[in-house]
Amino acid sequence: MASWNPDAPCSCDCFVSVPPASAIPAVIFAKNSDRPRDEVQEVVFVPARTHAPGSRLQCTYIEVEQVSKTHAVILSRPSWLWGAEMGANEHGVCIGNEAVWTKEPVGEGEALLGMDLLRLALERSRSALEAWHVITGLLERYGQGGSCREDPAPFCYHNTFLLADRTEAWVLETAGRLWAAQRIQEGARNISNQLSIGTDISAEHSELRTHALAQGWWGGQGTFDFAQVFSLTQQPVRMEAAKARFQAGRELLQQQRGGITAEVMMGILRNKESGICMDSGGFRTTASMVSILPRDPTQPCVHFLTATPDPSRSVFKPFIFGAGAAQAPQVLSPTFGAQDPVRTQPRFQTQVDRRHTLYCGHQDRGQQLRRKQQDLEQEGLEAARGLLAGEWAPPPQELGTLFQAFVERESQVYA
């Protein structure tokens, strides 16, 4: 079994606001991806595709069966792996994941990473409900496992997910192949590296309670509290810290209840006092994302991504699926083919430079140019407001290239 180091990195925070908690008729999704300090996160656009019958798909460690059609996706991902920490698809589905440790043992065997499950769900679903069905189906068939960082020492965990679309959200929490899900139809919700579904279970694995009973974790009588039954009895220090972040995040959402906007979510992601904006030793927030998912299906969803570390000094740039959507080369990391340390055996014995152009510029000079960054971000927010208010109606081709235009302008700021 993989050992868990109480000082190992293990933090992320996901948020969602469903009307009437939102200030506008839209679901608003947000996530900070907290990862090893030097890990580079890239933003990748993958267009919709069709696939031949019987096709196989190589994920980070294992192959799975491919489906006949995959949807277009925008992903924010650690550049060494196939999956993603967070992302959205062309149908307005957003997903973020979190590391979690439970009483169910975590093994070192290679299977699907939680980040692989996230991308697979985005590529194969048209709603949050369909997405969690995709994840639980793949989880049952292939399991989850494998090291989740680019390091010879294995670092393994199970996953929780926050899934959202234009109408609702779901929290999906796993322990090995087992899981529980909670439907969020109104209000605000957050998750932070711990089991948070108690007795309000909307759906669950068919063997969840019988397994808990067989293990002696539950007596079989009375109310079944998933978090209480499956959480570790002795919580390590970092998981106790996650409780504090979870509580702080919930309070920040409650303070803004009824007035939550994309800007409010960006402010929460930038909150350092709570630890939500992480910068601790070898660990920090390496990328962030906020999405506006309007209830009106005729309005486009707007996804803001940083592609750079520390949202307090990064620019949230708007992405909209459209006819001209394409990969922005400045936020794409270099590739190393068969010689990539994740592909050679044994894995991760060497290191490579995965920094993309925007990452390098941001790292070198971002702190000195905060005012220009803020002005650029405000332009993006104003463009989104004008679009959703019907005050700005650019041609679809222009919408699709919006993110690339903002990335190019940010690159010029650092030039």
Side-chain angles (χ1 to χ4, degrees), residues 54-73:
S55 295
R56 303 285 295 175
L57 173 64
Q58 177 64 53
C59 299
T60 301
Y61 297 126
I62 68 167
E63 283 189 352
V64 300
E65 292 182 359
Q66 183 58 285
V67 294
S68 60
K69 177 176 171 41
T70 50
H71 307 305
V73 296

Side-chain angles (χ1 to χ4, degrees), residues 270 305-306 308 313-317 373 376-377 410 414:
R270 286 170 166 147
L305 303 104
T306 62
T308 54
R313 60 184 189 91
S314 289
V315 178
F316 283 91
K317 298 166 283 293
Q373 290 178 313
L376 185 60
E377 182 174 288
E410 187 180 359
Y414 304 141

Side-chain angles (χ1 to χ4, degrees), residues 12-308:
C12 281
D13 297 278
C14 291
F15 304 87
V16 70
S17 173
V18 181
S22 306
I24 59 174
V27 173
I28 303 175
F29 169 92
K31 180 183 175 182
N32 268 355
S33 173
D34 300 338
R35 302 279 303 171
R37 171 171 292 277
D38 295 329
E39 185 178 79
V40 178
Q41 201 150 145
E42 60 183 352
V43 172
V44 180
F45 171 72
V46 184
R49 291 172 178 156
T50 56
H51 307 277
S55 295
R56 303 285 295 175
L57 173 64
Q58 177 64 53
C59 299
T60 301
Y61 297 126
I62 68 167
E63 283 189 352
V64 300
E65 292 182 359
Q66 183 58 285
V67 294
S68 60
K69 177 176 171 41
T70 50
H71 307 305
V73 296
I74 188 75
L75 307 169
S76 186
R77 71 177 189 187
S79 55
W80 61 270
L81 51 78
W82 181 84
E85 276 277 295
M86 51 200 170
N89 71 16
E90 61 184 305
H91 301 293
V93 179
C94 294
I95 310 177
N97 81 309
E98 309 262 341
V100 69
W101 292 265
T102 71
K103 291 176 183 174
E104 194 66 17
V106 176
E108 294 180 16
E110 293 182 347
L112 289 173
L113 296 179
M115 293 170 280
D116 293 338
L117 290 165
L118 185 155
R119 177 174 174 177
L120 288 163
L122 288 174
E123 290 187 342
R124 300 178 181 197
S125 65
R126 291 175 174 267
S127 69
L129 175 63
E130 188 176 352
W132 76 252
H133 279 296
V134 170
I135 291 174
T136 55
L138 290 165
L139 194 59
E140 184 69 28
R141 181 165 185 179
Y142 297 103
Q144 58 181 322
S147 186
C148 299
R149 67 178 175 188
E150 193 176 12
D151 192 279
F155 175 59
C156 309
Y157 50 75
H158 292 158
N159 292 266
T160 65
F161 302 88
L162 184 59
L163 312 93
D165 60 26
R166 292 176 181 267
T167 62
E168 64 181 9
W170 285 83
V171 175
L172 173 64
E173 300 185 337
T174 73
R177 282 181 163 86
L178 303 174
W179 54 269
Q182 183 184 73
R183 189 180 190 183
I184 312 298
Q185 294 181 288
E186 62 176 25
R189 182 72 154 85
N190 60 309
I191 59 174
S192 298
N193 301 111
Q194 59 184 308
L195 298 181
S196 62
I197 299 175
T199 60
D200 187 8
I201 301 173
S202 304
E204 64 186 70
H205 190 284
S206 60
E207 299 175 8
L208 184 70
R209 301 190 190 207
T210 55
H211 180 77
L213 188 62
Q215 295 296 319
W217 302 337
W218 180 53
Q221 301 295 320
T223 304
F224 181 82
D225 185 311
F226 174 66
Q228 186 177 73
V229 170
F230 276 84
S231 292
L232 291 168
T233 304
Q234 296 295 323
Q235 296 282 359
V237 173
R238 271 200 174 266
M239 291 189 74
E240 289 293 340
K243 286 184 180 181
R245 286 198 340 273
F246 174 75
Q247 181 62 30
R250 183 166 61 181
E251 291 174 0
L252 288 168
L253 288 174
Q254 290 302 316
Q255 289 169 11
Q256 300 289 338
R257 190 179 182 90
I260 297 175
T261 62
E263 290 153 290
V264 167
M265 286 296 199
M266 291 175 189
I268 291 174
L269 296 184
R270 286 170 166 147
N271 189 294
K272 288 183 177 289
E273 183 180 0
S274 63
I276 291 170
C277 183
M278 171 66 65
D279 191 356
S280 176
F283 208 48
R284 67 173 171 180
T285 299
T286 56
S288 304
M289 173 180 169
V290 173
S291 293
I292 305 171
L293 313 175
R295 284 276 171 89
D296 183 350
T298 66
Q299 293 185 328
C301 298
V302 185
H303 311 283
F304 294 88
L305 303 104
T306 62
T308 54

